[in-house]
Amino acid sequence: MNARIPEMRSTEELREKWMKPEVITGSDILLRSLVLEGVDCVFGYPGGAVLYIYDALYGFNDFHHLLTRHEQGAIHAADGYARASGKVGVCIATSGPGATNLVTGIATAYMDSVPLVVITGNVATTLIGTDAFQEADITGITMPITKHSYLVRDVKDLPRVIHEAFHIANTGRKGPVLIDIPKDVSAAKTLFNPVETLNLRGYNPTVQPNRLQLDKLQAAISEAERPVIIAGGGVIYSGGHEALFEFVNNTGIPITTTLLGLGAFPSGHELWMGMPGMHGTFTANHGIQEADLLINIGARFDDRVTGALGGFAPLAKIVHIDIDPAEIGKNVPADIPIVGDAKTVLELLNQNPVYTEKADAWRQTIQTRKQEKPLKYIDSDTELKPQWVIEHLNETTHGQAIVTTDVGQHQMWAAQYYKFNQPRSWITSGGLGTMGFGFPSAIGAQMAHPERLVISINGDGGMQMCSQELAICAINKIPVKIVVINNQVLGMVRQWQELIYENRYSHIDLAGSPDFVKLAEAYGVKGLRATNKEEAKKIWQEALETPGPVLVEFVVRKGENVYPMVTQGSTIDQMLMGDSE
């Protein structure tokens, strides 16, 4: 990769440089504190209320600041950085509209438990509450979608607040924390004394599980004849993928991974059943419905996984392992609730492994179903099918790329047909379903991993929501491969209107969209287009061989649907399998 990302000095060098007490401004305190928290990249957009901060950034080179073209691009990039790296993502925006432009991105991170520290400027403390120019109560606005928020009124509090914010964001159930800094606080001076201690009364996430509950789970495993594991994003966020692999091999339990859990377990493993839920596999959905023991590890029983709750896993004893006690029993009652960190729980279970000897026939049933009911579609020699495109991306990259997506049909096809074998290689908006997320999150992922191939898969709708960030790819030579699956329509909405709303296609036509190749070229990014398989193979190879960013448009069949599909109100084994059946 030839992105313009400066080399960072070692953490030890930076700590020695910035730990010494000194009288400095709040803005300088902020920058030093970010360095001491290990930050190496910040995404932001300046404005009046953060001008002191950006003045302090002038000539500052102890972390990289990436100027996006919209605040939403900044926070989605910070989100992608956090998901790809496992570190806390950081973004900066000014007061008022700058801060409110972050709200969708904050909600996206909150729903998917992504650790962010979001820094906003505000009007001077003397003007708060007066409806001053570009004033917004951003702490109030974001209260339901942050783990915690701070309005800093005294510059002396900044070191403590920043240290606490990083700790809160990246512990327990991870999530975004907002720090709102009035302009006079960023300008004020005080003696900087770095803070390395914590005293957070009432905040003490449960990491270690109850041993008695683990014993109950072990006993249930030994008696199970049709056990199933559902693994979610919590496994990845805890770093528990290796422990999960060991647990599955120890127990012999078939496993399905949720949309956000993809990559937590290798897709090539014989016990992996695919993704469950609305667009899940036949094997995974029927496995859940027939299971006598269902072990949920780090997933929240989202409605897109469960379908009709009254008919979900009707035969199963439910085990729910989650670090957030509020999730256990919220949607699906748990027979064996286990509060704790997923990695810690799995490691403890692996100390005394129990193999499911009674499940031999069940494992054979799973293997038979995988062979008889695979994901499939009707291919074409005349039209470019989106499923084929994703398969081709997977084959040519050997499943080794970091893949980000926007939201819609292309997202589901990518989840189905790209095969993930390692964590933090799949970045998508799950809980909020945020269009516009895919492309800027890929920029953040590439900044986190400059050495890896990053592919951003987008629909023609979502691509237009943050396409302005093409500029920073060109300027900074960030070599994301930007894929646009162009079906000239809001595809997932069209699919629902076809199947549920009796072909009443209302306001979904995107035929007036720009020429994406010309749009890319206007920003200084190479643009390529394919309308058939031969063109697709040729231009994708050209994109892979191009050192910088490339936008590749695949013009696909307009009326293609995502199958399998479970309609709302149905149980997850009531699946529409599509024309291929």
Side-chain angles (χ1 to χ4, degrees), residues 546-560:
T546 300
V550 184
L551 184 147
V552 184
E553 178 188 9
F554 295 99
V555 181
V556 301
R557 180 175 179 267
K558 185 174 184 178
E560 196 72 10

Side-chain angles (χ1 to χ4, degrees), residues 149-199:
S149 58
Y150 296 90
L151 172 58
V152 184
R153 292 180 175 271
D154 189 331
V155 67
K156 296 177 182 178
D157 294 332
L158 260 178
R160 173 186 58 81
V161 164
I162 295 164
H163 190 53
E164 289 179 2
F166 275 82
H167 176 74
I168 293 170
N170 209 27
T171 54
R173 180 175 179 173
K174 303 175 192 293
V177 176
L178 184 135
I179 304 174
D180 196 30
I181 306 175
K183 191 171 183 178
D184 55 330
V185 173
S186 63
K189 289 187 176 183
T190 191
L191 178 65
F192 173 52
N193 281 307
V195 173
E196 296 189 283
T197 58
L198 288 163
N199 182 22

Side-chain angles (χ1 to χ4, degrees), residues 23-338:
V23 176
I24 54 176
T25 67
S27 298
D28 290 317
I29 289 173
L30 171 64
L31 302 190
R32 293 189 185 190
S33 297
L34 292 179
V35 171
L36 294 174
E37 295 294 336
V39 172
D40 54 28
C41 188
V42 172
F43 306 86
Y45 202 95
V50 289
L51 280 182
Y52 286 113
I53 295 171
Y54 275 84
D55 187 54
L57 273 168
Y58 183 80
F60 188 87
N61 58 10
D62 284 340
F63 58 71
H64 186 60
H65 178 279
L66 197 67
L67 172 65
T68 59
R69 293 300 180 266
H70 193 288
E71 290 90 355
Q72 187 168 341
I75 193 160
H76 289 332
D79 185 314
Y81 174 93
R83 296 192 202 217
S85 67
K87 299 173 65 176
V88 177
V90 181
C91 67
I92 301 175
T94 194
S95 65
T100 57
N101 278 343
L102 299 174
V103 170
T104 297
I106 296 171
T108 300
Y110 184 77
M111 288 285 280
D112 289 351
S113 304
V114 179
L116 299 181
V117 168
V118 181
I119 299 160
T120 55
N122 211 330
V123 299
T125 54
T126 55
L127 295 176
I128 289 176
T130 68
D131 293 331
F133 177 67
Q134 291 193 331
E135 181 189 359
D137 178 12
I138 194 62
T139 54
I141 290 168
T142 60
M143 187 175 292
I145 54 171
T146 53
K147 279 191 72 176
H148 193 62
S149 58
Y150 296 90
L151 172 58
V152 184
R153 292 180 175 271
D154 189 331
V155 67
K156 296 177 182 178
D157 294 332
L158 260 178
R160 173 186 58 81
V161 164
I162 295 164
H163 190 53
E164 289 179 2
F166 275 82
H167 176 74
I168 293 170
N170 209 27
T171 54
R173 180 175 179 173
K174 303 175 192 293
V177 176
L178 184 135
I179 304 174
D180 196 30
I181 306 175
K183 191 171 183 178
D184 55 330
V185 173
S186 63
K189 289 187 176 183
T190 191
L191 178 65
F192 173 52
N193 281 307
V195 173
E196 296 189 283
T197 58
L198 288 163
N199 182 22
L200 294 173
R201 290 190 303 168
Y203 181 73
N204 187 26
T206 300
V207 174
Q208 294 291 333
N210 184 303
R211 185 72 242 189
L212 293 177
Q213 297 300 93
L214 297 188
D215 293 341
K216 290 179 183 178
L217 172 54
Q218 299 282 44
I221 291 173
S222 67
E223 294 299 318
E225 296 181 2
R226 299 182 309 280
V228 167
I229 295 168
I230 296 179
V235 173
I236 295 172
Y237 299 150
S238 73
H241 58 283
E242 292 179 350
L244 175 65
F245 184 80
E246 183 180 351
F247 180 69
V248 173
N249 285 331
N250 285 340
T251 60
I253 300 176
I255 179 171
T256 175
T257 46
T258 68
L259 180 69
L260 292 183
L262 293 174
F265 191 82
S267 61
H269 197 284
E270 63 179 4
L271 290 174
W272 187 67
M273 299 185 292
M275 183 177 71
M278 180 173 284
H279 296 293
T281 66
F282 182 94
T283 304
N285 282 358
H286 281 263
I288 290 170
Q289 292 300 90
E290 296 172 20
D292 62 357
L293 176 65
L294 184 62
I295 305 171
N296 179 332
I297 310 172
R300 56 188 180 86
F301 285 125
D302 171 76
D303 60 289
R304 292 295 173 104
V305 167
T306 64
L309 277 171
F312 177 72
L315 308 175
K317 176 180 287 188
I318 304 295
V319 180
H320 196 170
I321 301 169
D322 204 293
I323 199 164
D324 184 358
E327 286 298 338
I328 296 179
K330 186 178 80 174
N331 295 326
V332 176
D335 298 291
I336 304 177
I338 300 176

